[in-house]
Amino acid sequence: MRPEELPEIRHLHLFRDMTQANFEALMASSYAQNFPQGLEMIRQGDPADFLHVVVEGSVELFARWGGREGTMAVVRPVSTFILAACIRDAPYLMSARTLERARIILIPSSDLRAMFRRDPEFSVAVINELASCYRSVVRNAKTLKLRNSRERVASYLLRQSLLAGGVPSYALPVEKRLLASYLGMTAENLSRTLRTLEESGVKMDGARVIITDRAKLNALAQPDTLIDGPDMFANESGSGLPAAGQ
Amino acid sequence: MRPEELPEIRHLHLFRDMTQANFEALMASSYAQNFPQGLEMIRQGDPADFLHVVVEGSVELFARWGGREGTMAVVRPVSTFILAACIRDAPYLMSARTLERARIILIPSSDLRAMFRRDPEFSVAVINELASCYRSVVRNAKTLKLRNSRERVASYLLRQSLLAGGVPSYALPVEKRLLASYLGMTAENLSRTLRTLEESGVKMDGARVIITDRAKLNALAQPDTLIDGPDMFANESGSGLPAAGQ
DNA sequence: CGAGCGGTTGAGGCATGTCAAGAGTTGTGG
DNA sequence: CCACAACTCTTGACATGCCTCAACCGCTCG
């Protein structure tokens, strides 16, 4: 592991409050690994042997069933994923693959589980992290159940603009095909939907989003802190596809 | 609070491992309340002042957006709900209403938060509970994204049969209209889908489910432990609509 | 340059929602 | 005890959302 990576990890909410000695112990048994683009480094169903921390690149979490698959989240530096599976010592519910070349820290989940029995501050941090992840997935389920695809696209586009500070124009952080999968629709349907959204205050230019009438877009998306997140502005990732603890 | 209720609560995973003194302290500041049928006792967006424990009756967790609403879960005795909101000291993401006359224990969330800083065993229990709830919602999101409504109905019916011990016939634990909402479809669509499922090995007689060809139903539902849950057989609720910690 | 890939567009079809009506059931009040 | 209201469930007709298949464009990269 590189020396400059440790402070970054230490800085995560999850590890911020534990004692230095415990942090070092945890890191001592961990190691870093580089993955090429497009590599599936976690397969759903595998035992959760390691907590993963992305320090470089980006990772897609996705799920498969039968022949179909769907994107559940995109994880960007610096954040962890599949925490819940590690804690439960249970199989991963999602698969993970690199979207680009990525560098990942692997923390043995047995050490992790031992640690929150030893460091009370750490267990409080884990509690907060998990509660936060839980709420994030609930929001996700809400948007899937309560909004149709057009509304999901509109609120996604609006949210991204707000995350960037309310800018009228920005570039999509992910490919459209991935975005479609994340929003639970086909690439074709997303493409068409984006076209028709020109009447509703937002226009595309390639991967560039241009909000032409925020009021109209707002009226369609009906943003709601109980779905789109109040911590919208606190999201460090910038992918717009929330990180997840699994 | 009734004397016979305390052991039931104490028996929950969440409270099982804490010290007796701490448990008593927590219960001392809590109180029980009876609600009539159909009462909305939690509105999404309200501050999460109390962890709720259902000791009698049943409670529907649902979400609203715009004019629409959807059932997220049904909670049955004895289990808790909206744990995550209490921990984060954040607004409820879901509303709750009684499906029938219910008795609920209310535990002040500030006491709860103070407690897991004082009782390490309790914080480990909270961690496990949250991780478990998280995985349950992820499974839910997976089924929504990866299966169509017909497949969701089929796997629900099959899962219920397995929960009841693999019986060929059982009664639906909830009204069809509620089930439809939980499965993310309209009541009309569920009704029609149930009709067409007769070709696929399951038949309805009112609220009674009769599995006529388990192999056929299996082929359609393609049950998967990473969606339908490995702890299927450990679920104490029996509603089939998983309890949730929010 | 040609293959591969992401993105777009069109045509067509199936899945699902909407609206409306009616049967059966339950609960309530006269 | 009956009559009525309210509700669930079902069914039909219809509209539409969304997917599938196929073709094509433009870009990137070997």
Side-chain angles (χ1 to χ4, degrees):
Chain A
M1 209 176 308
R2 297 176 195 146
E4 72 270 21
E5 286 168 351
L6 283 172
E8 287 185 330
I9 298 170
R10 177 72 162 145
H11 191 258
L12 292 173
H13 284 290
L14 198 54
F15 303 112
R16 187 176 294 176
D17 298 326
M18 63 196 307
T19 72
Q20 182 63 22
N22 283 337
F23 177 70
E24 281 168 8
L26 209 53
M27 287 303 110
S29 62
S30 308
Y31 58 98
Q33 203 164 335
N34 293 313
F35 296 99
Q37 186 200 42
L39 188 105
E40 186 171 333
M41 79 266 234
I42 289 179
R43 284 190 94 94
Q44 61 178 46
D46 285 351
D49 295 328
F50 296 97
L51 176 66
H52 289 56
V53 186
V54 197
V55 291
E56 266 180 50
S58 56
V59 174
E60 176 192 7
L61 299 183
F62 64 102
R64 252 193 272 266
W65 180 76
R68 297 166 216 164
E69 64 175 58
T71 302
M72 306 296 284
V74 167
V75 190
R76 289 181 192 276
V78 179
S79 45
T80 66
F81 58 99
I82 48 117
L83 175 59
C86 293
I87 286 170
R88 301 291 314 179
D89 196 13
Y92 297 123
L93 294 180
M94 304 187 256
S95 297
R97 71 184 149 218
T98 52
L99 289 176
E100 52 195 323
R101 198 189 156 288
R103 186 171 168 80
I104 313 275
I105 311 291
L106 301 166
I107 305 175
S109 55
S110 53
D111 294 321
L112 195 86
R113 285 192 299 275
M115 189 55 73
F116 64 62
R117 294 183 168 277
R118 224 170 46 218
D119 191 319
E121 286 305 314
F122 181 57
S123 49
V124 171
V126 170
I127 285 172
N128 277 299
E129 180 87 359
L130 282 172
S132 186
C133 289
Y134 176 82
R135 287 169 62 87
S136 159
V137 193
V138 167
R139 287 198 196 92
N140 221 296
K142 283 176 70 172
T143 209
L144 284 173
K145 286 187 88 147
L146 297 173
R147 304 208 254 228
N148 61 29
S149 66
R150 184 181 169 79
E151 291 158 345
R152 289 200 296 275
V153 174
S155 42
Y156 176 87
L157 295 178
L158 190 59
R159 186 168 67 237
Q160 285 313 107
S161 158
L162 291 173
L163 280 168
V167 297
S169 174
Y170 62 91
L172 285 180
V174 293
E175 285 180 350
K176 287 183 187 168
R177 117 185 329 280
L178 181 71
L179 179 57
S181 171
Y182 173 67
L183 294 175
M185 57 202 293
T186 61
E188 295 95 322
N189 192 19
L190 173 61
S191 183
R192 273 186 267 269
T193 301
L194 288 173
R195 268 245 153 279
T196 70
L197 280 179
E198 289 182 10
E199 312 156 7
S200 302
V202 62
K203 196 162 72 81
M204 300 297 300
D205 175 25
R208 183 130 218 103
V209 182
I210 304 153
I211 295 179
T212 55
D213 187 337
R214 187 168 294 264
K216 252 190 194 162
L217 187 57
N218 242 314
L220 174 61
Q222 281 177 258
D224 179 338
T225 57
L226 302 179
I227 299 184
D228 304 300
D231 26 82
M232 224 159 57
F233 300 94
N235 184 343
E236 66 235 272
S237 82
S239 76
L241 285 57
Q246 176 156 346
Chain B
M1 209 176 308
R2 298 175 195 148
E4 72 271 22
E5 286 169 350
L6 283 172
E8 288 185 331
I9 299 170
R10 178 72 162 146
H11 190 257
L12 292 174
H13 283 291
L14 198 55
F15 302 112
R16 189 177 293 177
D17 297 327
M18 64 196 306
T19 71
Q20 180 64 22
N22 284 336
F23 177 69
E24 280 167 9
L26 208 54
M27 287 303 111
S29 62
S30 306
Y31 58 97
Q33 203 165 336
N34 292 313
F35 296 99
Q37 186 200 42
L39 188 105
E40 185 171 333
M41 78 267 233
I42 289 179
R43 284 189 94 94
Q44 61 178 44
D46 286 351
D49 295 328
F50 297 96
L51 176 66
H52 289 55
V53 186
V54 197
V55 291
E56 267 179 50
S58 57
V59 174
E60 176 192 8
L61 299 183
F62 64 102
R64 252 193 274 264
W65 180 77
R68 297 167 217 165
E69 63 175 60
T71 303
M72 306 296 284
V74 167
V75 190
R76 288 180 191 277
V78 179
S79 45
T80 67
F81 58 97
I82 47 118
L83 175 59
C86 293
I87 286 170
R88 302 290 313 178
D89 197 12
Y92 297 123
L93 294 180
M94 304 186 258
S95 297
R97 71 184 148 217
T98 51
L99 289 176
E100 52 195 322
R101 199 188 155 288
R103 185 170 168 82
I104 313 275
I105 310 291
L106 301 166
I107 305 176
S109 56
S110 53
D111 293 324
L112 195 85
R113 285 192 299 274
M115 190 54 75
F116 63 62
R117 294 182 168 278
R118 228 174 38 222
D119 190 319
E121 286 306 314
F122 181 56
S123 52
V124 171
V126 171
I127 286 173
N128 277 300
E129 180 87 358
L130 283 172
S132 186
C133 289
Y134 176 82
R135 288 169 62 86
S136 159
V137 193
V138 167
R139 287 199 195 92
N140 221 296
K142 283 177 69 171
T143 209
L144 284 173
K145 287 186 86 146
L146 297 173
R147 303 208 255 228
N148 62 29
S149 66
R150 185 181 169 78
E151 291 158 346
R152 290 199 296 276
V153 174
S155 41
Y156 176 85
L157 294 178
L158 190 57
R159 186 169 66 236
Q160 284 314 106
S161 158
L162 291 172
L163 281 168
V167 297
S169 174
Y170 61 92
L172 285 180
V174 293
E175 284 181 352
K176 287 183 186 167
R177 116 182 333 277
L178 181 70
L179 179 57
S181 172
Y182 174 67
L183 295 175
M185 58 202 291
T186 61
E188 295 94 323
N189 192 16
L190 173 61
S191 182
R192 273 186 265 270
T193 300
L194 287 174
R195 269 246 152 281
T196 72
L197 280 179
E198 290 184 9
E199 311 156 9
S200 302
V202 62
K203 197 162 71 79
M204 300 297 300
D205 175 24
R208 184 130 217 104
V209 182
I210 303 154
I211 296 179
T212 55
D213 187 338
R214 188 168 292 265
K216 252 190 193 162
L217 187 56
N218 242 312
L220 174 61
Q222 281 178 258
D224 178 338
T225 57
L226 302 178
I227 299 184
D228 304 300
D231 27 82
M232 224 159 57
F233 300 93
N235 184 341
E236 66 234 271
S237 83
S239 76
L241 284 56
Q246 177 156 342

